[in-house]
């Protein structure tokens, strides 16, 4: 039997979780001295590396002083709360990482609440103490206060604290005495985190994650709560709805280092991967063949936002994508719901459209970005929040919004939030910044980040987390300006763009291919306007000095996927292909749009 510790690393986004895991892996000598590993070893997915955030939780295991430590790296963003909830079930303790300057942030509260609720033993790590302006002692007080407010038990309140720098590769019980490595933290994990209990009896393993191998197919990953599993053993699969399916384990794997190791048997308390079971889902239990007993399935917070996904029916349909039919899009969306617990997909009245429910714009946009990289082509509608009726009152999701901003820009930030029905709760200095906290409807957050960053010259730091459903706050003003819509299919000319620059700002460059109904710019005025940018200059055989003025065009405004989703209105779609992101009107024909407008007014 082995001595095991199961620990999850939780923190707000960007507080240094994945960097700390890198240092733990190096300390455990998983690599040769001269091996090039790069940074952020666990952020293996391209999207994670580009955005600098963890999206999928991952497991690694190290050996330290005769103890096996299973480490689970979790995402820090509230939109991926479904990932955090599902993996915390595998842990006995948590390592709460807090930035020594920023202190506790909204997502710190969100993930800690989940961990304390599950009764996990916490260790607090105050990271980045080598940063200028850091305030470790103040942050320690703040963390204690947060534990107290979240109703931690006496044992949880008595948490050990370590200080250090994940990047510098040291940890110590006192931040004024830096050490040379992170042994102090590893010793703390072995001493303070309870060993994984060995519970005798019939086997019970909750499937909390799905791994995939192109050779063997789907692999069930989870923690064995009770009993033992052996290779070739007959088992029962207890589904979430209580039905039982008989199955057999073909192969068993235990986590070792960054990979998996094939083993003959696994004992209670360890995290393992099981191959050979068919048709399983997250939340199912692998149990005894004769007397199956299911565990209580994972409970995940409900989605707060939905968005329509439909096939691409623009004039450029099928030019860039490999998968374009409604059947291919449908299969891919339903495949996503198998492993992404916080996402739901419903079919609509139209065979070509699907309603996708998620945690927030980032949660849904990561799915869209992943699909377009796989070769899918589709169109998505405006993200909408889910409205509920509670005791006969129309309610909407409300979030806690935190903005840290230089004092000179604070007035502008408060004005923008107030316009969108935000109510200020706290205003206090934090270092050289002003710390603002608001209650704000989720609807108002759509498109707010861009406006705040523009108004504060990019200096604001924003974070938000879901609070609760509260009564409807009333109408929120949408986009203030209208858009410039193309009239014709063709190629944009520099001559036409130059002559129309006084109408507004353009999202396209000369020689870009465009189609009628595509949104190509923003109007100076509140109404939409159709323009023709495919017109060339009338050439004559007369030559005179001064008639050919040089064309001077302002650079086009380019949108990221999230920005485009936040920009569009109800009558617009974002067209997403592997190579392009375009915005368009749902009705491409100008006459159809005019008729629809009349009907709405009438």
């Amino acid at each position: 039997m082995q001595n095991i510790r199961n620990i999850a690393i939780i923190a707000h986004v960007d507080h240094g979780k994945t960097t700390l895991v890198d240092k733990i892996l190096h300390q455990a000598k998983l690599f040769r001295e001269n091996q090039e590993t790069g940074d952020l070893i666990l952020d293996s997915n391209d999207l994670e590396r580009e955005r600098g955030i963890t999206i999928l939780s991952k497991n690694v295991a190290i050996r330290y002083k005769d103890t096996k430590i299973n480490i689970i790296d979790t995402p820090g963003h509230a939109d991926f709360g479904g990932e955090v909830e599902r993996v915390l079930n595998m842990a006995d303790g948590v390592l709460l990482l807090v930035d020594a300057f920023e202190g506790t942030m909204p997502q710190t509260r969100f993930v800690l609440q989940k961990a304390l609720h599950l009764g996990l033993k916490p260790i607090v790590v105050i990271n980045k103490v080598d940063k200028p302006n850091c305030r470790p002692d103040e942050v320690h007080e703040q963390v204690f206060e947060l534990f107290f407010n979240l109703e931690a038990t006496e044992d949880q309140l008595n948490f050990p604290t370590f200080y250090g720098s994940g990047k510098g590769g040291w940890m110590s019980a006192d931040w004024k005495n830096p050490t040379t490595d992170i042994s102090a933290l590893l010793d703390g994990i072995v001493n303070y985190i309870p060993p994984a209990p060995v519970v005798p009896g019939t086997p019970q393993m909750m499937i909390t994650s799905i791994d995939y191998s192109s050779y063997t197919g789907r692999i069930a990953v989870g923690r064995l709560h009770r009993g033992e599993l052996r290779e070739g053993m007959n088992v029962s699969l207890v589904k979430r709805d209580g039905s039982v399916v008989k199955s057999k384990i073909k192969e068993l794997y235990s986590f070792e280092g960054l990979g998996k190791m094939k083993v003959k048997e696994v004992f209670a308390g360890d995290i393992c991967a099981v191959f050979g079971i068919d048709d399983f889902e997250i939340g199912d239990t692998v149990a005894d063949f004769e007397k199956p007993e299911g565990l209580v399935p994972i409970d995940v917070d409900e989605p707060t936002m939905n968005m329509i996904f439909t096939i691409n029916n623009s004039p450029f349909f099928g030019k860039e994508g490999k998968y374009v039919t409604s059947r291919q899009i449908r299969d891919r969306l339903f495949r996503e719901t198998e492993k992404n617990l916080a996402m739901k997909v419903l079919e609509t009245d139209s065979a070509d459209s699907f309603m996708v429910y998620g945690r927030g714009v980032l949660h849904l946009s990561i799915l869209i970005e992943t699909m377009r990289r796989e070769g899918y082509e589709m169109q998505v509608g405006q993200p909408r929040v889910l409205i509920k009726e509670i005791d006969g009152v129309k309610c909407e999701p409300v979030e806690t919004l935190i903005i840290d901003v230089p004092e000179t820009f604070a007035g502008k930030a408060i004005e923008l939030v107030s316009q969108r029905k935000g109510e200020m709760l706290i205003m206090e200095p934090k270092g050289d910044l002003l710390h603002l906290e608001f209650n704000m409807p989720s609807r108002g957050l759509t498109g707010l980040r861009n406006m705040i960053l523009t108004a504060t010259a990019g200096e604001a730091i924003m974070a938000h987390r879901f609070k609760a459903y509260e009564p409807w706050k009333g109408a929120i003003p949408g986009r203030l300006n209208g858009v410039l819509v193309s009239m014709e299919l063709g190629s944009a000319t520099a001559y036409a763009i130059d002559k129309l620059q006084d109408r507004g700002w353009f999202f396209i460059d000369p020689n870009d291919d465009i189609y009628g109904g595509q949104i190509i710019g923003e109007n100076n005025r509140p109404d939409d306007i159709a323009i023709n940018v495919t017109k060339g200059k009338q050439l004559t055989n007369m030559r005179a000095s001064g008639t050919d003025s040089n064309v001077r065009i302002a650079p086009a405004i380019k949108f990221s996927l999230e920005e485009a989703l936040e920009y569009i209105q109800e009558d617009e779609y974002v067209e997403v292909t592997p190579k392009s992101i375009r915005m368009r009107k749902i009705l491409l024909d100008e006459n159809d749009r005019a008729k629809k407008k009349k009907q709405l007014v009438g």
Side-chain angles (χ1 to χ4, degrees):
M1 299 296 287
Q2 48 188 353
N3 193 1
I4 298 173
R5 304 285 185 280
N6 295 319
I7 189 156
I9 298 192
I10 59 174
H12 180 78
V13 65
D14 251 2
H15 279 195
K17 295 181 294 299
T18 308
T19 306
L20 181 64
V21 176
D22 285 359
K23 293 293 181 263
I24 292 174
L25 296 176
H26 283 291
Q27 177 105 11
K29 303 226 172 350
L30 284 189
F31 309 105
R32 299 188 311 277
E33 291 294 328
N34 61 349
Q35 192 170 340
E36 279 289 325
T37 57
D39 291 339
L40 305 177
I41 301 161
L42 287 196
D43 281 352
S44 50
N45 159 336
D46 287 346
L47 269 177
E48 293 181 315
R49 287 195 165 276
E50 281 168 31
R51 289 166 184 254
I53 57 172
T54 301
I55 296 168
L56 302 167
S57 48
K58 305 177 189 68
N59 302 23
V60 290
I62 62 159
R63 304 251 169 207
Y64 180 73
K65 294 186 176 173
D66 305 328
T67 304
K68 180 181 181 183
I69 304 175
N70 283 316
I71 302 164
I72 308 155
D73 183 21
T74 65
H77 212 287
D79 276 18
F80 306 112
E83 283 285 313
V84 179
E85 283 155 25
R86 111 187 137 63
V87 295
L88 285 180
N89 280 289
M90 297 199 271
D92 294 306
V94 289
L95 218 59
L96 176 72
L97 225 69
V98 186
D99 186 303
F101 169 68
E102 287 186 359
T104 58
M105 296 289 277
Q107 270 94 20
T108 315
R109 185 189 185 97
F110 172 81
V111 287
L112 180 62
Q113 197 168 6
K114 302 278 175 206
L116 294 178
H117 179 67
L118 289 168
L120 304 179
K121 173 76 182 168
I123 291 180
V124 173
V125 176
I126 295 178
N127 195 18
K128 306 189 184 183
V129 296
D130 48 356
K131 263 170 104 173
N133 295 339
C134 70
R135 40 198 190 110
D137 296 330
E138 230 176 285
V139 168
H140 184 255
E141 288 294 313
Q142 219 181 2
V143 172
F144 185 83
E145 213 168 292
L146 178 64
F147 270 80
F148 186 75
N149 292 341
L150 293 176
E151 297 173 359
T153 62
E154 203 155 315
D155 182 43
Q156 287 171 332
L157 274 172
N158 190 19
F159 56 83
T161 308
F162 292 92
Y163 301 86
S165 161
K167 205 165 192 180
W170 65 270
M171 285 288 155
S172 160
D174 181 359
W175 64 278
K176 297 186 190 81
N177 299 332
T179 56
T180 51
D181 59 16
I182 55 168
S183 306
L185 177 62
L186 293 173
D187 288 332
I189 292 173
V190 173
N191 296 335
Y192 294 111
I193 298 296
V198 178
V199 185
T202 56
Q204 269 186 326
M205 181 189 107
M206 164 81 77
I207 299 173
T208 41
S209 173
I210 296 174
D211 211 345
Y212 187 81
S213 152
S214 47
Y215 296 107
T216 56
R218 294 165 82 225
I219 300 168
V221 177
R223 174 185 171 164
L224 185 56
H225 282 265
R226 191 174 77 187
E228 56 184 83
L229 291 176
R230 291 184 305 281
E231 194 180 54
M233 185 178 185
N234 289 325
V235 290
S236 300
L237 182 69
V238 182
K239 310 285 279 180
R240 285 179 85 105
D241 59 7
S243 59
V244 178
V245 183
K246 301 297 183 191
S247 199
K248 183 176 182 173
I249 297 174
K250 289 182 184 163
E251 288 176 359
L252 260 183
Y253 296 92
S254 174
F255 286 90
E256 199 64 52
L258 287 169
K260 298 187 202 70
M261 185 174 70
K262 197 170 170 186
V263 289
K264 293 285 180 204
E265 57 187 357
V266 173
F267 297 99
D270 204 355
I271 295 173
C272 63
V274 177
F275 166 63
I277 296 169
D278 297 323
D279 294 332
F280 60 82
E281 286 170 13
I282 289 173
D284 294 352
T285 307
V286 176
D288 187 50
F289 187 73
E290 302 289 336
K291 296 180 192 158
E293 289 175 56
L295 290 160
V296 180
I298 305 165
D299 191 26
V300 173
D301 285 356
E302 291 177 19
T304 56
M305 198 164 260
N306 67 10
M307 195 189 271
I308 200 105
F309 277 58
T310 179
I311 58 165
N312 185 8
N313 58 3
S314 81
F316 293 165
F317 148 81
K319 279 190 174 179
E320 296 171 358
K322 199 162 50 166
Y323 309 112
V324 294
T325 65
S326 57
R327 183 184 57 80
Q328 288 166 328
I329 291 170
R330 179 189 182 280
D331 292 351
R332 176 65 182 81
L333 290 174
F334 278 103
R335 213 163 54 239
E336 184 67 24
T337 57
E338 288 178 2
K339 59 179 190 296
N340 199 332
L341 278 192
M343 198 167 271
K344 266 193 342 202
V345 178
L346 296 182
E347 304 203 29
T348 62
D349 303 340
S350 159
D352 297 337
S353 303
F354 307 94
M355 190 60 84
V356 180
Y357 294 80
R359 278 281 180 84
V361 174
L362 183 65
H363 188 207
L364 291 162
S365 72
I366 292 287
L367 168 65
I368 299 167
E369 185 64 48
T370 310
M371 285 175 70
R372 78 180 269 236
R373 289 180 185 214
E374 290 169 6
Y376 286 85
E377 200 173 283
M378 69 214 138
Q379 293 182 143
V380 292
Q382 186 187 26
R384 293 187 193 146
V385 298
L386 299 185
I387 309 300
K388 278 186 183 173
E389 199 162 296
I390 303 171
D391 301 331
V393 180
K394 182 181 175 187
C395 293
E396 64 173 331
V398 170
E399 313 219 3
T400 302
L401 169 69
I402 291 183
I403 303 177
D404 290 335
V405 64
E407 208 165 321
T408 43
F409 298 120
K412 194 71 191 148
I414 293 166
E415 186 189 332
L416 285 169
V417 175
S418 306
Q419 280 171 3
R420 292 169 164 242
K421 302 282 189 258
E423 298 162 15
M424 189 188 284
L425 306 171
I426 296 173
M427 180 175 178
E428 59 189 19
K430 177 178 166 186
D432 51 356
L433 299 174
L434 205 59
H435 177 77
L436 308 171
E437 275 187 41
F438 303 89
N439 262 356
M440 172 127 191
S442 298
R443 289 177 297 143
L445 289 167
T446 306
L448 182 69
R449 186 178 297 272
N450 262 355
M451 292 163 74
I452 294 264
L453 289 175
T454 308
T456 60
E459 295 211 31
I461 301 163
M462 260 179 81
H464 55 88
R465 70 181 168 86
F466 174 68
K467 181 177 167 237
Y469 270 85
E470 289 181 10
W472 181 260
K473 307 278 185 202
I476 289 176
R479 191 173 65 206
L480 300 175
N481 291 17
V483 287
L484 303 175
V485 184
S486 167
M487 282 169 146
E488 303 283 334
L489 174 77
S491 195
T493 65
Y495 171 77
I497 293 176
D498 179 45
K499 295 296 179 221
L500 291 163
Q501 279 192 111
D502 57 346
R503 293 283 186 195
W505 302 270
F506 280 92
F507 307 153
I508 55 163
D509 290 311
N511 302 326
D512 280 359
D513 287 331
I514 54 170
Y515 55 81
Q518 184 179 331
I519 296 169
I520 54 174
E522 183 173 296
N523 192 3
N524 290 331
R525 300 208 170 103
D527 49 346
D528 298 346
I529 178 172
I531 57 172
N532 183 0
V533 288
T534 61
K535 221 159 58 177
K537 185 180 180 199
Q538 289 297 314
L539 297 175
T540 67
N541 58 2
M542 296 287 289
R543 298 184 68 184
S545 62
T547 52
D548 276 353
S549 56
N550 286 332
V551 174
R552 289 205 181 122
I553 297 175
I557 298 167
K558 297 294 180 193
F559 283 80
S560 69
L561 180 59
E562 277 103 23
E563 286 166 349
L565 291 173
E566 292 183 344
Y567 186 79
I568 59 169
Q569 299 296 299
E570 272 182 77
D571 63 336
E572 294 161 4
Y573 277 154
V574 178
E575 179 189 347
V576 183
T577 73
K579 293 182 185 163
S580 323
I581 294 171
R582 302 183 191 93
M583 290 178 286
R584 55 160 283 186
K585 289 287 183 187
I586 294 177
L587 299 172
L588 295 179
D589 188 87
E590 201 185 337
N591 299 326
D592 293 346
R593 291 200 296 275
K595 276 182 208 160
K596 180 91 173 176
K597 200 171 179 183
K598 267 187 194 162
Q599 284 170 7
L600 291 173
V601 174

